[in-house]
């Protein structure tokens, strides 16, 4: 709007994509200014895979109430995901999560796969391990990469048939990559909307098929019932509960001090991501054994790190996390 050469008075159509995220990313005031300057006699189209109060607020500010037309692509409204998507979940003990992922990558090595993690540091750690120490054909993309590197990575993934892309939710929206066969949610999404956007990277287009598997720790199985409430139905994949022993490969990797640092950072990133989850009754740090969690990153015990670093003051859980760490430290001393 500040570009003098742009004559916004001639705009005939306004398109708002990923509407449910526009306000969340802090563009509310900018968008209001844009809308107020555009001609009133225009067509406005708003697209969103999920609906929320934020979406309703955007509709109210951008559209004329008496001329709104809703188009629902989910005709039967019985299921929140597309018909061609086969989706399930597997349960794995916390310390064997890395081993489980190794099996899944072996199982799907002839396909194009996207693997979702909860933090950038976790993406980097797992990418380094599987690419360097397991010689697997993997790529990675996350929010801390610059745009040039992201674009280059996506182009390689786009053109390669048998490959896995390790990613954060930066890849859950806005990408139209054909023929993605599998979505692996190694770290569960924060809510049903995130789940829908992640699995929406496969089974795209009329008549398309796709597969998705969600990994849960035993303590997180309640997430399945939560998904049902949002009309998302996942089957239990019993045969996915076994895995390969990766201890030798992990021992080799952990002999490298640089890799150990990656493991510590990944552990830290995982805990931070878990702490800000809203579904505390399912994703509960207070009931989690952090030493066991550390072993899922190849560490022998919980590293001595300040997991509060990086939180904004608004979300920094000082007392809560101090209580968790102190409680687990006291328990460990009592056992010894």
């Amino acid at each position: 709007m500040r570009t003098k050469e742009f004559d916004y008075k001639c705009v005939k159509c306004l398109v708002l994509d990923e509407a449910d995220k526009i306000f969340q990313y802090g563009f509310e005031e900018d968008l209001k200014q844009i809308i107020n300057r555009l001609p009133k006699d225009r067509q406005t189209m708003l697209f969103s895979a999920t609906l929320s109060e934020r979406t309703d607020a955007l509709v109210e500010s951008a559209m004329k109430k008496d001329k709104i037309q809703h188009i629902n692509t989910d005709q039967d409204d019985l299921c929140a995901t597309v018909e061609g998507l086969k989706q399930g979940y597997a349960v794995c003990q916390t310390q064997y999560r890395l081993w489980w992922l190794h099996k899944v990558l072996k199982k799907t090595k002839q396909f194009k796969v996207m693997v979702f993690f909860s933090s950038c540091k976790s993406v980097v750690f797992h990418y380094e391990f599987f690419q360097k120490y397991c010689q697997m054909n993997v790529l990675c993309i996350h929010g801390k990469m610059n745009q040039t590197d992201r674009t280059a990575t996506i182009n390689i993934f786009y053109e390669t048939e048998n490959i896995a892309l390790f990613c954060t939710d930066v890849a859950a929206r806005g990408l139209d990559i054909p023929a993605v066969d599998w979505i692996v949610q190694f770290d569960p999404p924060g809510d049903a909307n995130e789940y829908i956007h992640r699995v929406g990277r496969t089974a795209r287009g009329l008549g398309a098929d796709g597969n998705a598997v969600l990994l849960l720790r035993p303590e997180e199985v309640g997430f399945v019932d939560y998904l049902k409430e949002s009309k998302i139905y996942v089957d239990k994949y019993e045969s996915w509960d076994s895995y390969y022993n990766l201890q030798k490969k992990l021992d080799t990797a952990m002999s490298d001090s640089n890799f150990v640092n990656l493991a510590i950072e990944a552990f830290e990133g995982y805990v931070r991501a878990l702490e800000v989850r809203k579904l505390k009754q399912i994703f509960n740090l207070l009931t989690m054994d952090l030493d066991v969690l550390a072993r899922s990153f190849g560490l022998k015990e919980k590293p001595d790190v300040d997991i509060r670093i990086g939180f904004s003051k608004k979300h920094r859980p000082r007392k809560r996390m101090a209580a968790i760490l102190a409680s687990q430290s006291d328990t460990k001393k009592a056992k010894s």
Side-chain angles (χ1 to χ4, degrees):
M1 304 301 286
R2 298 183 181 91
T3 304
K4 295 181 180 180
E5 292 77 10
F6 178 63
D7 186 3
Y8 54 85
K9 296 179 181 179
C10 297
V11 171
K12 298 294 183 182
C13 181
L14 172 64
V15 179
L16 301 172
D17 197 12
E18 302 290 359
D20 56 333
K21 283 291 183 180
I22 289 179
F23 282 179
Q24 181 176 331
Y25 290 150
F27 297 128
E28 182 174 358
E29 291 304 319
D30 291 334
L31 186 58
K32 286 181 178 179
Q33 290 185 31
I34 292 173
I35 292 173
N36 289 335
R37 294 190 183 188
L38 293 178
K40 302 299 180 183
D41 184 19
R42 68 172 191 275
Q43 181 183 30
T44 301
M45 293 182 286
L46 183 148
F47 299 91
S48 178
T50 54
L51 299 177
S52 65
E53 292 182 1
R54 291 179 180 273
T55 315
D56 294 337
L58 185 54
V59 169
E60 186 175 340
S61 63
M63 296 180 167
K64 297 178 181 179
K65 293 182 179 180
D66 58 336
K67 294 186 177 181
I68 296 177
Q69 295 185 25
H70 294 275
I71 300 176
N72 184 5
T73 58
D74 187 7
Q75 295 180 358
D76 57 18
D77 205 31
L78 297 177
C79 183
T81 52
V82 296
E83 184 177 352
L85 177 66
K86 297 178 182 178
Q87 51 194 335
Y89 72 97
V91 180
C92 177
Q93 295 293 333
T94 303
Q95 63 267 38
Y96 299 123
R97 282 163 32 91
L98 190 67
W99 299 13
W100 180 90
L101 182 56
H102 180 267
K103 176 185 176 178
V104 171
L105 293 175
K106 286 280 190 181
K107 192 181 184 77
T108 59
K109 64 181 180 180
Q110 299 301 321
F111 300 99
K112 182 173 290 190
V113 183
M114 294 181 72
V115 185
F116 282 93
F117 298 85
S118 60
S119 74
C120 300
K121 293 177 179 179
S122 190
V123 168
V124 173
F125 165 79
H126 288 90
Y127 167 76
E128 287 291 330
F129 178 72
F130 285 104
Q131 191 270 338
K132 185 175 181 179
Y133 296 99
C134 299
Q135 290 77 49
M136 289 186 167
N137 192 20
V138 296
L139 300 168
C140 75
I141 184 173
H142 53 79
K144 293 185 178 180
M145 294 172 63
N146 62 52
Q147 189 59 52
T148 300
D149 290 341
R150 283 195 221 175
T151 302
T153 299
I154 289 298
N155 287 340
I156 295 173
F157 186 63
Y158 187 98
E159 297 170 358
T160 308
E161 291 185 2
N162 309 325
I163 196 168
L165 176 67
F166 290 5
C167 54
T168 58
D169 283 324
V170 71
R173 296 167 179 261
L175 295 179
D176 185 15
I177 301 172
V180 174
D181 302 293
W182 277 94
I183 300 298
V184 179
Q185 301 194 60
F186 185 66
D187 293 336
D191 55 34
N193 286 345
E194 285 185 18
Y195 180 96
I196 291 172
H197 282 286
R198 285 180 174 187
V199 300
R201 300 308 96 199
T202 188
R204 297 177 67 82
L206 186 63
D209 295 325
N211 302 275
V213 60
L214 168 69
L215 177 63
L216 298 171
R217 298 182 302 112
E219 300 85 358
E220 297 170 343
V221 175
F223 192 65
V224 175
D225 292 329
Y226 163 78
L227 290 177
K228 287 180 182 178
E229 295 175 1
S230 299
K231 300 180 181 179
I232 300 171
Y233 307 101
V234 291
D235 299 322
K236 177 70 162 58
Y237 287 173
E238 299 287 353
S239 62
W240 293 59
D241 292 349
S242 59
Y243 26 76
Y244 299 101
N245 190 323
L246 288 182
Q247 197 56 54
K248 289 185 178 180
K249 293 182 183 296
L250 272 173
D251 290 342
T252 300
M254 298 304 285
S255 65
D256 182 346
S257 60
N258 291 327
F259 187 80
V260 172
N261 289 333
L262 290 180
I264 293 173
E265 290 178 351
F267 168 87
E268 189 177 353
Y270 180 90
V271 173
R272 288 177 181 172
L274 199 64
E275 172 59 24
V276 297
R277 294 278 177 97
K278 293 181 180 179
L279 301 174
K280 299 299 184 186
Q281 71 278 18
I282 299 173
F283 306 112
N284 191 349
L285 271 176
L286 289 172
T287 61
M288 182 181 292
D289 187 328
L290 295 183
D291 284 327
V292 173
L293 176 64
R295 289 199 287 275
S296 72
F297 293 96
L299 301 165
K300 293 183 178 180
E301 60 182 2
K302 175 184 67 64
D304 185 17
V305 295
D306 183 358
I307 58 178
R308 298 170 299 175
I309 297 173
F311 281 112
S312 66
K313 291 183 178 179
K314 179 179 179 181
H315 294 104
R316 187 171 294 164
R318 295 180 182 275
K319 294 182 179 180
R320 176 181 170 84
M321 289 313 306
I324 293 172
L325 296 176
S327 174
Q328 295 201 359
S329 177
D330 291 343
T331 301
K332 188 174 181 180
K333 289 179 181 178
K335 289 181 178 180
S336 61

